[in-house]
């Protein structure tokens, strides 16, 4: 209904699990790393917990896409089963045949035979149980007994338990202590932060076809307030807010629209949340007074400064630090606020400490601090990257609209240092200071383990450690897309397109291309490897996102961070592009 109004090709906030909208925050990536590590160990159990809607199932499905091909996987979504029913379901998932009315021993023997045969074939077996907090203690004990089957080096069955926080309490029971001791990796998934919500919302909008921001910063803050960082609630609130904006023919989505959406979605729960506002307000007031002591607005001189990790830390944090614990309730907040009002001399003393710390900063540190404070708007960073392409922003248009008018496209990606340097394009990077406040820069060039970062009017060389600690995980770049590219390349595509895909992957991977006339298994594996490496769905279909990623490497247009790079390390040359 509202897609055309917002320039969307799809509904970006559907709660249906669409893999094309997969967004992995730092927490999700860390959870995925823990699960992967746990499966690489010799133990039998891996544990992932989190509140409802935090993305546990999303992480597990992402893990499934990354498992080696020699892995047989059983996925149980309804664990409210008896021991006999669980083993029968496991047999069904693994394709193990059994007769009518089997006994517990017969099912156990069948599974043991299957696991031994799989091991002899060099195959792994993984069982994933979702909503595992509903498992009965006797069922968990049966699973533990099943994992007793092992060789000298590894368990023949590995089990991933995914559930709500109650699962942790269940595993603390005395009769399950043996199982708890076999858990080789565990991770509790927390909700998204306010900054991650902004990235999450923009990511889903971009996948749906809109690259320009649609939600005002105040709307993001309100989303965080009412959703608590739960992705499922974020989707529901955003969906209702978009409908409200469409009804009012209003862009961007503001905080009032989100509040209206919250009243409709949360209902009675919203009323309970409002009762907490006085305590929250008092805490925020206190935090505002404290935060004022950390704000510095120094006037420095232009030029290029060399900033190492130690200097960058001092430049952002300054010499003023507090060891006082934060308030946890309205009474404590009001008491602290009263003390702050009654003791102005302490405030004056803190201000003098700030001034003294500023006086002790080196010239480079002052330049960096000033540059960060002047880089709070993403528009400044976009103006810099447009300049690298010999373009300029148009008055009245967003940065991406300006780029589009001048023959360029915007591309946003979540990643890390390796993702950025691998693509080898100048990029607008989302950063955060030591207080977690966002600022934006433009990566202009690279020399080894250092990046030339433009912040406002300053250009500074920063080392990899500094960049990694301050990088928020999102970057955007400009590129010149080919004039034509198909919607997707798969098994049923024309031979010419399949050959182009083989040539592109071979060139990017710096190996000779083969002559192919059909989509064979080797090409499929090569494409899936490329997709996994770039956080794409490994479905062996070169869809729109995969084709964009391929063409970014193949393009020879525009500036690069480093010249004369080949393969996945940087720039490649391509005769044709789709």
């Amino acid at each position: 209904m509202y897609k055309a109004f917002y320039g969307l090709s799809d509904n970006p906030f559907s709660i249906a699990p669409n893999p094309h909208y997969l967004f992995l925050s730092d927490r999700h990536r860390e959870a995925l790393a823990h699960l992967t590590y746990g499966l690489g160990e010799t133990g039998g159990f891996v544990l992932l917990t989190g509140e409802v809607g935090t993305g546990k199932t999303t992480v597990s499905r992402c893990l499934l896409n990354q498992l080696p091909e020699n892995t047989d996987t059983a996925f149980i979504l309804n664990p409210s089963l008896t021991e006999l029913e669980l083993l029968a379901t496991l047999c069904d998932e693994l394709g193990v045949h059994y007769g009518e009315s089997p006994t517990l021993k017969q099912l156990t023997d069948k599974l043991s035979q299957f696991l031994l045969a799989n091991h002899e074939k060099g195959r792994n077996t993984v069982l994933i149980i979702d909503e595992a907090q509903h498992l009965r203690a006797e069922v968990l004990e049966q699973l533990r007994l099943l994992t007793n089957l092992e060789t000298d080096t590894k368990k023949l069955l590995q089990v991933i338990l995914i559930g709500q926080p109650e699962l942790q309490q269940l595993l603390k029971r005395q009769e399950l202590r043996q199982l708890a001791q076999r858990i080789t990796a565990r991770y509790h998934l927390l909700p998204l932060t306010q900054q991650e919500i902004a990235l999450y919302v923009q990511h889903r909008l971009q996948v749906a076809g809109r690259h320009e921001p649609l939600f005002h910063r105040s709307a993001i803050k309100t989303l965080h307030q009412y959703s608590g960082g739960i992705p499922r609630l974020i989707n529901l609130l955003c969906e209702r807010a978009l409908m409200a904006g469409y009804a009012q023919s209003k862009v961007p989505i503001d905080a009032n629209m989100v509040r209206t959406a919250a009243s409709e979605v949360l209902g009675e729960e919203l009323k309970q949340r409002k009762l907490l506002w006085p305590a929250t307000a008092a805490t925020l007031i206190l935090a505002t007074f404290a935060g004022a002591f950390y704000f510095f607005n120094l006037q420095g001189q232009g030029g290029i400064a060399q900033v190492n990790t130690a200097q960058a830390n001092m430049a952002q944090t300054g010499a003023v630090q507090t060891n006082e614990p934060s308030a946890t309730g309205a009474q404590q907040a009001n008491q602290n606020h009263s003390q702050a009002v009654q003791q102005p001399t302490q405030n004056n003393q803190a201000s003098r400490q700030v001034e003294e710390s500023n006086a002790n900063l080196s010239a480079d540190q002052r330049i960096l601090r000033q540059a960060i404070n002047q880089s709070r708007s993403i528009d400044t960073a976009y103006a810099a990257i447009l300049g690298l392409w010999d373009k300029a922003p148009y008055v009245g248009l967003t940065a991406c609209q300006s780029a589009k008018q001048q023959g360029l496209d915007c591309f946003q990606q979540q990643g890390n240092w390796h993702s950025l340097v691998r693509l080898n394009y100048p990029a607008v990077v989302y950063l955060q200071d030591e207080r977690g406040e966002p600022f934006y820069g433009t990566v202009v060039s690279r020399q080894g383990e250092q990046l030339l970062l433009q912040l406002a009017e300053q250009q500074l060389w920063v080392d990899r450690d500094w960049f990694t600690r301050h990088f928020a995980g999102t970057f955007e770049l400009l590129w010149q897309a080919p004039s034509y590219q198909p919607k997707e390349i798969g098994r049923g595509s024309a031979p010419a397109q399949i050959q182009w895909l083989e040539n592109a992957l071979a060139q990017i991977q710096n190996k000779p291309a083969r002559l192919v006339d059909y989509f064979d298994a080797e090409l499929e594996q090569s494409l899936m490897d490329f997709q996994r490496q770039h956080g794409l769905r490994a479905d062996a279909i070169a869809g729109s996102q995969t084709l964009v990623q391929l063409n970014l490497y193949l393009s020879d247009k525009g500036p690069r961070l480093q010249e004369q790079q080949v393969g996945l390390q940087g720039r490649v040359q391509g005769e044709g592009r789709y």
Side-chain angles (χ1 to χ4, degrees):
M1 179 172 62
Y2 54 71
K3 291 189 291 187
F5 176 73
Y6 293 115
L8 299 168
S9 59
D10 192 16
N11 180 359
F13 297 109
S14 170
I15 61 174
N18 188 337
H20 293 294
Y21 287 93
L22 176 66
F23 173 84
L24 294 179
S25 68
D26 289 343
R27 289 179 173 84
H28 289 91
R29 294 180 190 278
E30 189 174 353
L32 185 59
H34 274 71
L35 295 184
T36 304
Y37 168 79
L39 291 179
E41 290 294 293
T42 58
F45 289 88
V46 176
L47 181 65
L48 174 64
T49 57
E51 288 292 348
V52 177
T54 50
K56 302 184 297 296
T57 303
T58 298
V59 171
S60 65
R61 294 189 183 278
C62 187
L63 176 69
L64 282 176
N65 290 332
Q66 296 186 11
L67 290 177
E69 286 191 348
N70 65 334
T71 303
D72 290 319
T73 307
F75 208 122
I76 296 179
L77 297 174
N78 179 20
S80 298
L81 306 169
T82 65
E83 302 100 299
L84 188 66
E85 291 170 338
L86 180 76
L87 294 186
T89 304
L90 180 54
C91 286
D92 294 339
E93 287 285 313
L94 296 174
V96 177
H97 300 288
Y98 53 89
E100 293 184 5
S101 302
T103 65
L104 197 62
K105 181 181 183 305
Q106 288 172 337
L107 291 175
T108 303
D109 291 343
K110 288 283 187 180
L111 285 170
S112 298
Q113 293 169 11
F114 174 84
L115 293 173
L116 287 170
N118 248 19
H119 176 65
E120 291 176 358
K121 297 174 187 176
R123 300 188 63 80
N124 302 317
T125 309
V126 175
L127 169 61
I128 301 177
I129 302 180
D130 205 357
E131 302 295 340
Q133 73 275 1
H134 296 304
L135 286 171
R136 303 174 186 176
E138 56 269 23
V139 175
L140 282 168
E141 178 61 15
Q142 184 62 47
L143 279 176
R144 184 190 69 81
L145 294 174
L146 196 59
T147 60
N148 280 341
L149 194 60
E150 59 189 355
T151 66
D152 292 337
T153 58
K154 63 177 292 187
K155 298 285 186 182
L156 299 190
L157 176 65
Q158 293 179 300
V159 182
I160 300 177
L161 300 176
I162 303 172
Q164 295 170 23
E166 302 92 275
L167 178 58
Q168 298 181 16
Q169 299 302 317
L170 175 62
L171 294 175
K172 291 179 180 179
R173 293 172 63 168
Q174 180 70 12
E175 63 267 32
L176 295 176
R177 63 188 184 280
Q178 288 181 296
L179 187 151
Q181 292 172 1
R182 293 190 181 183
I183 297 176
T184 57
R186 60 179 73 208
Y187 190 87
H188 183 70
L189 194 58
L190 295 174
L192 300 179
T193 64
Q194 182 174 321
Q195 185 174 17
E196 288 170 337
I197 290 176
L199 299 177
Y200 173 81
V201 169
Q202 184 59 30
H203 168 74
R204 296 188 73 97
L205 288 172
Q206 181 180 346
V207 173
R210 182 185 177 96
H211 293 272
E212 294 79 20
L214 183 55
F215 283 71
H216 192 271
R217 290 181 181 177
S218 63
I220 298 296
K221 183 178 180 179
T222 309
L223 270 176
H224 181 254
Q225 177 186 350
Y226 288 115
S227 71
I230 304 297
R232 191 176 300 162
L233 285 179
I234 294 171
N235 283 4
L236 291 171
L237 294 175
C238 287
E239 170 75 12
R240 292 296 181 93
L242 288 181
M243 293 177 64
Y246 172 71
Q248 301 174 32
S249 298
K250 186 175 180 180
V251 174
I253 303 300
D254 59 25
N256 288 331
M257 296 179 189
V258 176
R259 291 191 190 97
T260 301
S263 66
E264 296 175 0
V265 172
L266 301 176
E268 291 299 320
E269 184 180 353
L270 178 60
K271 295 179 181 179
Q272 296 176 6
R273 289 170 184 247
K274 286 182 177 179
L275 294 177
L276 299 178
W277 168 244
T280 305
T283 304
L284 290 176
I285 291 172
L286 178 63
T288 301
F289 278 110
F293 297 146
Y294 285 86
F295 183 81
F296 309 100
N297 187 16
L298 301 179
Q299 297 298 321
Q301 298 180 356
I304 297 179
Q306 182 75 28
V307 180
N308 60 28
T309 302
Q311 289 175 325
N313 288 340
M314 291 181 63
Q316 290 204 51
T317 61
V320 179
Q321 297 190 9
T322 176
N323 296 320
E324 294 296 325
S326 60
T328 58
Q331 181 178 359
Q332 184 65 40
N334 288 325
Q335 180 181 355
N336 290 346
H337 176 57
S338 176
Q339 292 174 354
V341 173
Q342 294 173 8
Q343 299 177 11
T345 56
Q346 294 181 1
N347 294 350
N348 294 336
Q349 182 180 0
S351 299
R352 286 196 299 272
Q353 291 176 346
V354 170
E355 294 174 0
E356 292 173 0
S357 69
N358 292 339
N360 294 331
L361 292 177
S362 68
D364 285 352
Q365 294 165 355
R366 292 185 182 184
I367 290 173
L368 176 61
R369 177 173 292 170
Q370 175 194 7
I372 289 175
N373 287 333
Q374 293 177 347
S375 302
R376 303 298 182 179
S377 171
I378 197 172
D379 294 336
T380 305
Y382 262 120
I385 197 173
L386 282 167
L388 295 175
W389 284 82
D390 296 324
K391 311 293 184 183
Y394 288 169
V395 177
L397 295 182
T398 66
C400 285
Q401 289 172 337
S402 297
K404 195 74 173 178
Q405 290 291 325
Q406 300 173 79
L408 301 176
D409 283 295
C410 291
F411 176 78
Q412 184 188 82
Q413 180 169 322
Q414 276 74 42
N416 51 25
W417 166 281
H418 296 289
S419 309
L420 181 65
V421 301
R422 186 169 55 210
L423 282 174
N424 201 35
Y425 282 80
V428 172
V429 289
Y430 290 54
L431 304 165
Q432 57 186 14
D433 61 23
E434 298 296 341
R435 301 187 303 276
E437 296 295 328
F439 65 102
Y440 307 91
T442 304
V443 177
V444 175
S445 181
R446 176 194 171 206
Q447 288 185 4
E449 296 290 283
Q450 291 188 321
L451 295 175
L452 182 58
L453 181 66
Q454 180 160 343
L455 299 173
E457 300 300 322
Q458 305 293 341
Q459 288 191 346
L460 312 103
W461 286 102
V462 299
D463 61 30
R464 177 175 175 176
D465 180 67
W466 185 94
F467 179 82
T468 299
R469 289 187 302 100
H470 294 82
F471 183 43
T474 298
F475 62 90
E476 300 181 20
L477 54 85
L478 301 179
W479 74 298
Q480 188 170 332
S483 57
Y484 166 77
Q485 70 177 25
K487 292 184 178 179
E488 67 178 36
I489 301 176
R491 290 186 175 277
S493 299
Q497 292 182 350
I498 294 175
Q499 184 64 59
W500 176 88
L501 182 60
E502 163 66 25
N503 295 346
L505 288 168
Q507 189 169 353
I508 291 171
Q509 295 165 0
N510 200 22
K511 66 180 184 180
R514 302 174 301 125
L515 185 62
V516 295
D517 53 5
Y518 70 98
F519 206 107
D520 62 9
E522 185 174 344
L523 177 57
E524 178 179 315
Q525 185 60 50
S526 180
L527 176 57
M528 291 175 66
D529 290 342
F530 178 85
Q531 290 173 321
R532 290 192 187 98
Q533 186 174 4
H534 293 83
L536 302 169
R537 183 187 181 192
D539 55 3
I541 298 175
S544 58
Q545 294 184 62
T546 300
L547 288 171
V548 167
Q549 196 82 54
L550 287 167
N551 280 316
L552 281 168
Y553 288 115
L554 299 177
S555 175
D556 58 358
K557 306 294 184 181
R560 295 296 189 273
L561 296 181
Q562 276 188 321
E563 296 297 332
Q564 299 178 346
Q565 298 290 314
V566 296
L568 281 176
Q569 300 303 315
R571 182 179 182 180
V572 295
Q573 301 294 330
E575 296 180 357
R577 301 189 300 277
Y578 281 105

